[in-house]
Amino acid sequence: MDLLQAYAEGGEFDIDDANSPPPQNPPTTTDADDTTTSSPDSSPMRLSLPSKSSAPKVDDTMLALTVTGNKAQSKPLDPTQHMVSFNPTYDQLWAPIYGPAHPYAKDGIAQGLRNHKLGFVEDASIEPFVFDEQYNTFYKYGYAADPSGNNFVGDLDKLQESGAVSVYNIPQNEQKRRRIEKKKEKLEKLGEVDGEEAGDMDVSEVDNPATEAWIRKNSKSPWAGKREGVGGELTEEQKKYAEEYAKKKGEGENEGGKSNAGMADKSTFHGKEERDYQGRSWIAPPKDAKASNDHCYTPKRLVHTWSGHTKGVSAIRFFPKHGHLLLSAGMDTKVKIWDVYNSGKCMRTYMGHSKAVRDIWFSNDGSKFLTASYDKNIKYWDTETGQVISTFSTGKIPYVVRLNPDEDKQNVLLAGMSDKKIVQWDMNTGQITQEYDQHLGAVNTITFVDNNRRFVTSSDDKSLRVWEFGIPVVIKYISEPHMHSMPSIALHPNSNWLAAQSLDNQILIYSTRERFQLNKKKRFAGHIVAGYACQVNFSPDGRFVMSGDGEGRCWFWDWKSCRVFKTLKCHEGVCIGCEWHPLEQSKVATCGWDGQIKYWEVGDLDDLFRQAYLSGTNLEDEEVCSTCGWTTFEDGVCPTCGSCYNLYGVKPFSGPMMVEAQKS
């Protein structure tokens, strides 16, 4: 019962003490958790059981440190530990790490703590303006304010002498004194007044234009005093050196395109007279010039050679519609025009460029033409008088120039430039009216299509782009991985196809319809043009495609079959250009880098019949001269050789002529 009573009272009981005799004076024990009182009446001992907690044991070391003081709070976390048993503060998370090197950073600073390439840099407590002021003051006067206190560092003696001024708070009287000293020095350097007069002179008078001091100051050039060091005349050797230097400088400016004033625009007429007895100009076409035949035949025989250029010829153009004159652009900076029908001589030379001429183009009536040169200038010439009407330049090299073919837009000039732009000028005002700048390389060609409402351009970026005239937005972009740069494009006489000279030694055909698709069935190859901008062209009837190549040959292909029809060895070197005569259907002009222009025509009568047989032309009903093969007679006389009316009465492909044609 005593045990139950003790347990009910909540006391502790010891089994060993239950068997021992009770003490005479039982002590009273006071514990922090509970209190047990022994009395004689309660003889049994109380049983005490240990208390247990279900909460996990927590390491409160870091918690105690954070509570005890600020020193523990500023201690950073150890980045190597994997568990944090308390909530760290922001300062503890971002505090720099000191002590042993961090295992993931060479300098002991974790990557997340870096705000500079050299480590962690704390924000400065000084404003940038104040820092610049003290920095410049220290390097000028030798002292500066200490940002950590109210004292100065540096040269204290200089500090007392200057009154602790900085570079940004100079007193007004000091600034005025400095301005006066500078103006006095300037006047003394000019030699206008001596030191005493400059000291007595009021500085305000020097700045006032109404005073005599201002007039004396500005009566001479500021550089007038520098000539005092030059004494006497130059020696002969010095004069010679000065002349050579001036000459070299002038040549360098002309070559760099900086100055073209020394290159006067002029021309020389080489004919007998500029007007005939009827008052007609020398550029007037002959009245009897007309198309001789509807069929074109490839030439074979060399008729004439023009050799007037001292360097290579880059382009040739026949006079529009008649072809009685031939314009040539030379790398010797000159442009020449040649007579085709009569004497075959050079009629006029146009000189105005300081570098090689890249491209030329006639107006519709041939009375004017454009030239584009590597001297970055485009000139508009009068064909008859040789005068330069206007000059255009953007500071870049023009690679191609074209006039709008419409009769009412002959004042619109388009030029493809080396800076990836097509620039459009109004030649009446001389202003740039539009720029087409979508290409990624130098522009090489400009070809008008679709009744001159659109034009196609090619570039060094190996792409073709189609534009609406006057709108600088590409309406068709043609670019394939297999495409190469196309430095020459020609329009077929029926205006439905474009022939593009590709630098992978082939000529590609594109449609001029809405989709501008590549015609995969037509491809002309066999020539070597890689690296050369050889011109491609069509015969007037569209039956032949021709092109020069890098080996001096002129190639002719049949348009329908795409087979090589003929090759001519024309030049020594590159045959860069070829033009088919607009009226005399079987004559072709070629030009090359050997400086020569050659004129070719069809061969003898057998060659004419052979070509007609190979091309499928029936000459049975045509009038053919037995001497030269001319196919049109006038009043019973051949206009070419002057022989009498003589017709082949038999079919042209009978007998040995047929056999020879089949062999060839």
Side-chain angles (χ1 to χ4, degrees):
M1 296 297 294
D2 293 335
L3 291 174
L4 295 175
Q5 183 179 0
Y7 182 76
E9 292 177 356
E12 295 180 357
F13 177 75
D14 192 354
I15 299 177
D16 296 334
D17 294 339
N19 299 326
S20 61
Q24 298 295 329
N25 295 318
T28 302
T29 304
T30 303
D31 198 1
D33 297 329
D34 54 59
T35 306
T36 304
T37 305
S38 300
S39 64
D41 298 332
S42 58
S43 58
M45 300 302 296
R46 297 173 181 174
L47 181 64
S48 64
L49 298 175
S51 60
K52 294 184 178 181
S53 176
S54 62
K57 185 178 180 180
V58 177
D59 184 9
D60 57 354
T61 305
M62 294 301 296
L63 181 62
L65 291 176
T66 57
V67 174
T68 53
N70 296 329
K71 187 172 183 180
Q73 291 180 0
S74 62
K75 182 178 180 181
L77 295 175
D78 186 5
T80 59
Q81 71 183 75
H82 300 283
M83 182 178 64
V84 180
S85 59
F86 64 96
N87 292 330
T89 62
Y90 177 84
D91 294 335
Q92 285 178 291
L93 288 174
W94 295 99
I97 298 174
Y98 302 97
H102 188 268
Y104 306 108
K106 295 181 179 180
D107 52 1
I109 301 176
Q111 189 67 26
L113 301 180
R114 293 174 179 271
N115 59 2
H116 190 268
K117 62 182 181 179
L118 299 179
F120 180 82
V121 180
E122 296 182 357
D123 293 336
S125 60
I126 183 172
E127 295 295 331
F129 175 79
V130 179
F131 177 81
D132 293 340
E133 180 185 13
Q134 298 302 324
Y135 178 83
N136 295 325
T137 302
F138 181 81
Y139 277 95
K140 184 171 184 178
Y141 297 108
Y143 60 88
D146 188 359
S148 62
N150 295 327
N151 54 347
F152 288 84
V153 294
D155 191 355
L156 300 181
D157 296 336
K158 186 68 174 179
L159 174 68
Q160 295 178 357
E161 292 179 4
S162 59
V165 297
S166 67
V167 291
Y168 293 158
N169 59 0
I170 301 176
Q172 293 293 331
N173 55 356
E174 180 68 16
Q175 296 180 7
K176 185 176 181 180
R177 184 183 64 80
R178 292 183 181 181
R179 286 197 298 267
I180 294 174
E181 289 180 354
K182 287 183 179 180
K183 290 183 178 180
K184 286 181 180 179
E185 292 177 358
K186 189 175 181 180
L187 291 175
E188 290 177 358
K189 288 181 179 180
L190 292 176
E192 297 172 356
V193 294
D194 55 11
E196 296 179 358
E197 292 180 358
D200 298 336
M201 184 183 297
D202 188 3
V203 180
S204 61
E205 295 181 358
V206 180
D207 297 332
N208 187 4
T211 59
E212 184 180 356
W214 186 89
I215 296 174
R216 293 173 60 188
K217 173 185 175 183
N218 295 278
S219 60
K220 292 183 179 180
S221 171
W223 295 276
K226 295 184 179 180
R227 296 186 178 181
E228 297 177 358
V230 181
E233 297 181 356
L234 297 176
T235 62
E236 294 295 332
E237 185 177 356
Q238 291 174 338
K239 289 181 180 179
K240 185 177 179 181
Y241 177 79
E243 291 176 358
E244 292 178 355
Y245 178 77
K247 185 177 180 180
K248 289 181 180 179
K249 187 176 181 182
E251 291 177 355
E253 289 180 351
N254 286 334
E255 290 179 359
K258 299 178 181 178
S259 174
N260 197 29
M263 190 67 184
D265 299 328
K266 61 181 180 179
S267 67
T268 304
F269 183 71
H270 305 289
K272 293 182 179 180
E273 51 187 5
E274 296 188 9
R275 295 188 177 274
D276 60 2
Y277 67 98
Q278 292 183 344
R280 293 178 298 185
S281 173
W282 63 274
I283 67 169
K287 293 183 178 180
D288 58 347
K290 58 182 179 180
S292 59
N293 195 356
D294 294 336
H295 293 283
C296 293
Y297 304 100
T298 57
K300 179 180 180 181
R301 186 178 60 180
L302 177 63
V303 179
H304 189 75
T305 301
W306 292 288
S307 57
H309 289 282
T310 58
K311 293 184 179 180
V313 181
S314 56
I316 53 175
R317 300 285 185 269
F318 274 111
F319 196 90
K321 300 179 182 178
H322 299 91
H324 63 290
L325 297 173
L326 180 66
L327 189 69
S328 64
M331 297 180 184
D332 55 357
T333 73
K334 297 177 183 179
V335 178
K336 293 178 179 288
I337 191 166
W338 312 82
D339 181 34
V340 177
Y341 280 173
N342 300 318
S343 63
K345 296 180 180 179
C346 179
M347 299 300 294
R348 186 180 283 275
T349 301
Y350 306 89
M351 295 168 286
H353 290 289
S354 60
K355 286 190 176 182
V357 182
R358 163 84 183 198
D359 193 23
I360 50 178
W361 193 255
F362 268 114
S363 61
N364 285 355
D365 57 358
S367 61
K368 301 173 181 62
F369 66 90
L370 289 166
T371 59
S373 172
Y374 285 99
D375 62 2
K376 305 178 182 178
N377 291 324
I378 302 171
K379 293 183 181 292
Y380 192 43
W381 299 80
D382 186 286
T383 309
E384 181 181 359
T385 62
Q387 295 179 350
V388 175
I389 301 173
S390 54
T391 303
F392 309 93
S393 178
T394 62
K396 303 296 180 181
I397 299 175
Y399 283 166
V400 57
V401 286
R402 291 292 183 271
L403 290 174
N404 192 305
D406 290 339
E407 292 294 339
D408 58 343
K409 295 185 179 67
Q410 283 290 286
N411 62 320
V412 179
L413 161 65
L414 288 177
M417 314 300 289
S418 61
D419 61 348
K420 315 171 189 177
K421 295 181 181 180
I422 301 108
V423 184
Q424 177 178 320
W425 275 279
D426 184 354
M427 293 191 294
N428 293 337
T429 61
Q431 301 295 325
I432 296 177
T433 58
Q434 193 61 266
E435 284 188 355
Y436 310 84
D437 58 352
Q438 297 293 320
H439 274 294
L440 304 178
V443 181
N444 294 324
T445 65
I446 300 174
T447 308
F448 281 89
V449 296
D450 195 12
N451 295 325
N452 307 326
R453 293 181 300 175
R454 301 172 179 173
F455 62 93
V456 182
T457 59
S458 65
S459 170
D460 286 344
D461 59 5
K462 303 179 182 179
S463 70
L464 295 177
R465 297 172 196 254
V466 186
W467 314 74
E468 290 280 355
F469 178 74
I471 303 175
V473 178
V474 175
I475 63 173
K476 182 67 175 180
Y477 172 66
I478 305 172
S479 180
E480 298 292 341
H482 59 78
M483 288 178 60
H484 287 69
S485 180
M486 300 177 183
S488 177
I489 293 180
L491 182 66
H492 194 275
N494 63 11
S495 302
N496 292 331
W497 306 98
L498 287 174
Q501 182 81 269
S502 181
L503 289 186
D504 57 349
N505 301 325
Q506 62 179 344
I507 298 175
L508 304 178
I509 305 299
Y510 289 89
S511 171
T512 59
R513 306 281 175 85
E514 292 295 329
R515 302 183 64 181
F516 290 89
Q517 285 185 331
L518 173 66
N519 189 341
K520 298 181 180 179
K521 295 183 180 180
K522 286 191 178 296
R523 174 180 169 271
F524 304 93
H527 58 321
I528 305 298
V529 294
Y532 302 103
C534 295
Q535 180 183 356
V536 61
N537 215 325
F538 285 97
S539 61
D541 61 354
R543 294 174 55 241
F544 297 105
V545 181
M546 69 173 176
S547 169
D549 72 349
E551 299 177 352
R553 290 176 293 184
C554 186
W555 292 67
F556 298 88
W557 293 270
D558 183 71
W559 169 254
K560 291 184 179 180
S561 64
C562 300
R563 291 182 297 180
V564 177
F565 198 86
K566 180 184 289 187
T567 59
L568 287 176
K569 178 61 177 177
C570 300
H571 298 274
E572 296 295 332
V574 181
C575 179
I576 199 69
C578 53
E579 280 276 328
W580 213 295
H581 198 282
L583 291 183
E584 296 184 349
Q585 309 288 2
S586 302
K587 295 187 178 181
V588 171
T590 61
C591 66
W593 284 2
D594 56 358
Q596 294 182 346
I597 305 168
K598 295 185 178 182
Y599 196 38
W600 305 81
E601 70 173 5
V602 70
D604 54 8
L605 185 63
D606 293 342
D607 186 66
L608 175 65
F609 285 156
R610 187 182 302 111
Q611 289 188 37
Y613 171 74
L614 293 176
S615 59
T617 304
N618 187 10
L619 295 180
E620 182 176 358
D621 299 330
E622 294 194 10
E623 300 176 351
V624 181
C625 176
S626 60
T627 304
C628 65
W630 196 258
T631 57
T632 300
F633 286 85
E634 296 178 1
D635 299 331
V637 178
C638 178
T640 304
C641 63
S643 61
C644 297
Y645 197 126
N646 188 6
L647 296 180
Y648 278 90
V650 297
K651 294 183 180 180
F653 303 121
S654 60
M657 198 176 297
M658 180 72 164
V659 177
E660 186 179 356
Q662 291 176 350
K663 288 182 179 180
S664 61

